[in-house]
Amino acid sequence: MDAHAMKVEAARAALAHVEDGMRLGIGTGSTAAEFVRLLAERVAKGLSVVGVPTSERTATQCRELGVPLATLEEMPELHLTIDGADEFDADLTLIKGGGGALLREKIVAAASERMIVIADESKRVDMLGRFPLPIEVNAFGLAATRIAVERAARSIGLGGPVELRMTENGPFVTDGGHFVLDASFGRIRDPRALSGLLHAVPGVVEHGLFIGMADLVIVAGAAGAQTVRPRAVQQNP
Ligand code: 5RP
């Protein structure tokens, strides 16, 4: 199975958790896009759901395919969010934001009773940090914020380049009008500590560490889709 087929497989398995009448958070990225495609097929056959998209990109795809949408203002409490991830570990702590939608993704996931992550096997790691951590920052004071982020990381032994995400036309700008710093800190031993330190930097809007938010990950590999629960839950079923 190639990477694309794995994404489709994970998305298809996630669809089994979607029930008629649900208010759904809908993620961003290539795996989430496969989910939207399959969801739209079910909607066309009569499934009744309303989605809150986590990005303008996802909103556009949903509109094109006929998935009914609402804003989070209109529907502030959601049953379930289904989204992709850049990395997940055994605690189901995630790195997200590779697609630049981390702020809306985190707000939408936090407004949901449950979050299911869909991923291919390449996203599973023993320790987070192979994928650079996206950090959404205010454009004002960018240089000072970058220095503060580097200093905060250094205080817990993390170093490495912290780079402004660029497009061919200049800095990448999020749906919220912010910039993104991609921090190549390497292995993140204590995501909670890093999260607290980053939140304490005034110019940081949000970061891509999702801690204690995912209820399960549906991960697709060569043998098909598998459901992974957080390590602590596995130990105390
Ligand atoms: C976007 C995200 C995506 O969920 C993440 O980047 C995974 O994307 P893909 O499914 O394309 O690998 O966090 O901000």
Side-chain angles (χ1 to χ4, degrees), residues 7 28-31 83-86 96-102 105 123:
K7 289 175 194 205
T28 297
S30 57
T31 318
D83 200 350
D86 299 299
K96 286 187 51 55
L102 65 106
E105 289 173 333
K123 309 291 182 68

Side-chain angles (χ1 to χ4, degrees), residues 3-237:
H4 176 256
M6 287 183 203
K7 289 175 194 205
V8 175
E9 204 51 46
R12 194 185 310 283
L15 207 53
H17 294 262
V18 175
E19 292 166 18
D20 210 53
M22 274 187 163
R23 300 185 297 273
L24 280 182
I26 305 182
T28 297
S30 57
T31 318
E34 294 303 332
F35 172 74
V36 172
R37 202 176 47 73
L38 294 170
L39 180 68
E41 287 176 10
R42 289 279 305 279
V43 167
K45 289 182 186 152
L47 179 76
S48 170
V49 291
V50 183
V52 170
T54 54
S55 64
E56 296 305 325
R57 198 176 353 144
T58 295
T60 301
Q61 187 196 9
C62 288
R63 280 189 208 103
E64 284 170 0
L65 297 180
V67 176
L69 293 182
T71 65
L72 198 57
E73 286 309 301
E74 293 162 337
M75 254 179 19
E77 293 178 306
L78 306 176
H79 295 107
L80 172 65
T81 285
I82 295 183
D83 200 350
D86 299 299
E87 280 187 355
F88 69 94
D89 69 9
D91 296 320
L92 306 196
T93 300
L94 317 173
I95 287 183
K96 286 187 51 55
L102 65 106
L103 175 60
R104 292 192 185 185
E105 289 173 333
K106 201 177 270 190
I107 293 171
V108 168
S112 301
E113 286 169 23
R114 288 192 302 141
M115 179 190 197
I116 295 177
V117 171
I118 47 179
D120 61 85
E121 192 61 55
S122 70
K123 309 291 182 68
R124 194 201 299 254
V125 295
D126 64 337
M127 192 179 290
L128 298 174
R130 190 176 59 199
F131 191 91
L133 178 66
I135 305 171
E136 186 157 343
V137 297
N138 205 292
F140 178 84
L142 174 65
T145 299
R146 190 201 305 230
I147 290 169
V149 162
E150 287 167 343
R151 196 172 290 146
R154 236 183 353 258
S155 74
I156 52 168
L158 295 174
V162 176
E163 284 167 358
L164 181 63
R165 189 178 296 182
M166 300 296 291
T167 70
E168 54 193 21
N169 302 316
F172 173 86
V173 179
T174 67
D175 286 344
H178 307 122
F179 291 162
V180 173
L181 296 174
D182 289 307
S184 298
F185 291 144
R187 290 162 70 82
I188 301 172
R189 285 182 195 287
D190 191 344
R192 236 171 243 286
L194 180 59
S195 169
L197 288 163
L198 292 175
H199 278 149
V201 175
V204 169
V205 179
E206 193 46 86
H207 59 69
L209 289 167
F210 283 49
I211 302 171
M213 299 189 86
D215 294 279
L216 48 96
V217 175
I218 297 175
V219 56
Q226 177 203 359
T227 297
V228 183
R229 294 177 194 281
R231 181 160 44 188
V233 174
Q234 283 170 357
Q235 283 163 2
N236 308 302

